[in-house]
Amino acid sequence: MAKPTDIRPVAATLYLLPVQTRVPLKFGTETLTSVTCARVCVRVADRRGRAADGWGETPLSVQWVWPSQTPYVTRQQAVQQFCTELTELWAGLAARGHPLEVGHEFLETVLPRFWRAFNRRHRPGGPRPGSAPAKRAGRATVPLPEPMPWLAALVCASAFDLATHDAYGRLLGRPVYETYNRQFMNRDLAGFLQPAADARVSFKGLFPADFLLPTRRQRLVAWHLVGGLDLLERDELTGHEPDDGQPVLLADWIKRDGLKCLKVKLRGNDAAWDYARLVRVGQIAAAHQVNWLSADFNCTVTDPGYVNHILDRLREEHPRLYGMLLYVEQPFPYDLEAHPIDVHSVAARKPLFLDESAHDWRLVRHGRALGWTGVALKTCKTQTGALLSACWAQAHGMALMVQDLTNPMLAQIPHVLLAAHLPTLMGVETNAMQFYPAASRPEATVHPGLYRRRDGVVDLRTIRGPGFGYRLDEIRRTLPAPAAHCAV
């Protein structure tokens, strides 16, 4: 039944904010030295005609969303063009309801059609720039050597989805996490999710609130990312490191921030390097009272035996470090349907978490059947999708983590809030303060505990108020001219 609080988007504005890294960040086979963040303002209106604005933001990390040999600048331009076109599409959505319902309708029906049409229009041999079809479309049609992946489409859409959730909370004058229940939603989870065939699970009568913690956590253990290019020890210094008052060496990060958890980026195609890197980081960690490690292979492994060999050798040669390894993250290609690898043997050794593969609850279900035991959630794949995947996974006994996309500025706030409302295995990954700390200075003046880790944690106590609790009117940031705007 419709509710008077049901909303629909009526306007959207896109801003593109460029950010430079202080040190390079390696993603699989690529390296990130800069990123553009998409910041979006969405206006929503309810059935009574009341309106409110909300904000969402995500880094468009092209190397992560679209790994490819296609030139970076080509992929970046395509992703930004997709965001520009989404602005008009989102402002004209016909869907009405709770933001989870609006977002679900968009992800299920609107975005797939739009994404396919975008790729058709930009494929080689498509409309030439300036041709009649291109002019009728009114959009750029620069040919792409390959289709833009679905993961890239999700990340582009996430800023709009986040802004809609924020706007809904602001319209009601309450934190949006207080609205994921039967009082505000028109459908229970059975209207969104289907259980696995082998599970005695029912979503009838349940809402996201039934899978959230009863009270938001105010402090979260912070995971530090040890990138593949990060310097570990003093003999690696070249004299060209940034001189900005921030740590450079791993031990200095651990000491300054009181770190207790380290996530280690590995290559996945060089077993000797991966093993040596994991041992070296682990030894530094153990010497400085770090409690936990995780290993992230970034989708580059194709044979479970590769991971098993590293884990078994670590267990035999360095049992303490093996005990510190809390879980393994996404060693295998993220397209589970194209690469349905049985991973039970890896999961028998350590908890095995989907990350890039976990686009939605259906792929989480597919992953569970292949042997995956946990899900790494990301708000950059939409707030709507993250919440639904979290509910499905918990109902089926899978563990949760909330992972970073190196979220600076506003993007950090919904990211840590998701972790604060869920029973994650251990805190939250947060690393924007490592790779571009200067980008978040305006936000850090209002939320200092979110952009600097102290005693190994991030502090969420400054997040308060309606929506995501950004307190945007207190943050002194000058935005660039809009990249796109549409109102209906």
Side-chain angles (χ1 to χ4, degrees):
M1 180 180 293
K3 297 181 183 294
T5 52
D6 289 348
I7 52 97
R8 70 179 182 90
V10 296
T13 306
L14 169 70
Y15 302 88
L16 297 176
L17 284 65
V19 175
Q20 290 291 131
T21 64
R22 65 182 290 269
V23 291
L25 171 58
K26 199 167 189 298
F27 280 116
T29 59
E30 295 194 78
T31 300
L32 183 149
T33 58
S34 64
V35 68
T36 297
C37 288
R39 181 176 291 199
V40 170
C41 178
V42 168
R43 174 164 292 182
V44 303
D46 66 11
R47 294 184 183 276
R48 298 168 179 167
R50 298 181 304 167
D53 292 340
W55 293 82
E57 182 179 277
T58 193
L60 303 174
S61 295
V62 173
Q63 294 89 339
W64 185 75
V65 306
W66 192 346
S68 171
Q69 297 300 314
T70 296
Y72 167 78
V73 67
T74 301
R75 288 174 284 154
Q76 181 191 40
Q77 289 173 350
V79 167
Q80 291 183 10
Q81 180 64 29
F82 195 84
C83 288
T84 300
E85 297 180 22
L86 277 181
T87 306
E88 178 181 351
L89 188 67
W90 199 276
L93 288 181
R96 187 188 292 271
H98 184 278
L100 196 78
E101 295 159 351
V102 173
H104 180 260
E105 174 68 17
F106 180 79
L107 293 173
E108 290 290 308
T109 61
V110 180
L111 186 61
R113 289 198 300 265
F114 178 72
W115 169 65
R116 288 192 291 267
F118 182 89
N119 278 329
R120 284 196 301 271
R121 186 156 38 83
H122 289 265
R123 68 179 178 232
R128 298 185 309 277
S131 67
K135 289 179 179 178
R136 282 196 298 272
R139 296 167 179 151
T141 53
V142 178
L144 293 173
E146 61 189 353
M148 187 178 79
W150 176 245
L151 178 58
L154 279 179
V155 169
C156 291
S158 68
F160 296 86
D161 181 73
L162 284 161
T164 303
H165 283 255
D166 182 53
Y168 185 74
R170 291 174 61 83
L171 183 66
L172 297 181
R174 63 174 67 202
V176 71
Y177 275 90
E178 293 181 2
T179 75
Y180 298 127
N181 52 47
R182 70 172 64 248
Q183 180 183 353
F184 297 99
M185 293 179 61
N186 298 289
R187 288 181 283 164
D188 62 17
L189 286 170
F192 303 92
L193 306 175
Q194 297 173 6
D198 64 343
R200 301 181 65 179
V201 170
S202 173
F203 292 106
K204 187 175 178 59
L206 296 177
F207 292 83
D210 294 303
F211 294 92
L212 302 176
L213 296 174
T215 303
R216 183 188 99 186
R217 290 181 287 180
Q218 299 286 46
R219 302 172 86 234
L220 292 170
V221 174
W223 285 81
H224 173 95
L225 178 66
V226 184
L229 299 177
D230 286 11
L231 304 182
L232 302 185
E233 298 178 287
R234 193 162 299 280
D235 61 3
E236 299 175 9
L237 295 172
T238 66
H240 299 290
E241 292 76 27
D243 183 15
D244 56 3
Q246 302 287 336
V248 174
L249 301 178
L250 178 57
D252 293 334
W253 278 112
I254 295 170
K255 293 173 188 175
R256 194 198 74 168
D257 291 359
L259 299 172
K260 297 300 179 185
C261 300
L262 303 180
K263 171 177 169 176
V264 187
K265 286 278 191 182
L266 302 174
R267 293 178 178 175
N269 55 14
D270 185 340
W273 189 94
D274 283 350
Y275 181 76
R277 183 72 169 183
L278 193 55
V279 169
R280 197 173 178 198
V281 172
Q283 289 171 336
I284 295 171
H288 291 86
Q289 291 75 55
V290 170
N291 297 329
W292 299 108
L293 303 171
S294 69
D296 181 2
F297 292 85
N298 264 124
C299 309
T300 48
V301 180
T302 55
D303 180 1
Y306 180 100
V307 181
N308 292 341
H309 172 73
I310 290 174
L311 294 179
D312 291 348
R313 184 179 174 190
L314 189 68
R315 184 185 59 221
E316 294 300 317
E317 297 179 359
H318 299 279
R320 181 183 178 188
L321 302 187
Y322 183 82
M324 291 169 64
L325 190 65
L326 190 60
Y327 66 97
V328 173
E329 182 180 334
Q330 192 74 51
F332 308 108
Y334 77 74
D335 189 341
L336 292 183
E337 294 168 319
H339 303 275
I341 301 170
D342 187 309
V343 299
H344 285 87
S345 62
V346 181
R349 289 164 166 83
K350 287 291 179 180
L352 183 61
F353 277 66
L354 296 156
D355 182 0
E356 287 85 351
S357 294
H359 295 345
D360 57 43
W361 66 268
R362 292 185 182 89
L363 285 169
V364 175
R365 180 176 62 183
H366 187 31
R368 175 181 173 272
L370 293 171
W372 298 80
T373 55
V375 184
L377 304 167
K378 280 186 165 80
T379 52
C380 70
K381 289 188 275 190
T382 74
Q383 176 80 355
T384 295
L387 285 171
L388 292 176
S389 292
C391 296
W392 195 96
Q394 287 183 84
H396 290 80
M398 299 180 75
L400 301 179
M401 277 297 297
V402 172
Q403 302 292 60
D404 207 356
L405 192 59
T406 315
N407 291 309
M409 303 182 289
L410 289 189
Q412 171 79 334
I413 295 177
H415 163 63
V416 296
L417 276 178
L418 181 66
H421 285 91
L422 290 172
T424 60
L425 188 64
M426 177 67 64
V428 65
E429 181 196 353
T430 177
N431 58 60
M433 58 283 290
Q434 300 171 232
F435 295 99
Y436 24 68
S440 303
R441 282 175 182 158
E443 290 75 17
T445 61
V446 178
H447 303 288
L450 295 184
Y451 303 94
R452 168 78 182 269
R453 301 164 303 200
R454 293 174 174 83
D455 299 322
V457 304
V458 286
D459 191 328
L460 288 72
R461 287 176 293 179
T462 57
I463 301 175
R464 58 177 181 267
F468 287 121
Y470 294 129
R471 298 167 58 190
L472 199 61
D473 57 341
E474 301 174 53
I475 298 172
R476 296 185 177 181
R477 175 177 292 281
T478 302
L479 294 176
H485 172 76
C486 185
V488 297

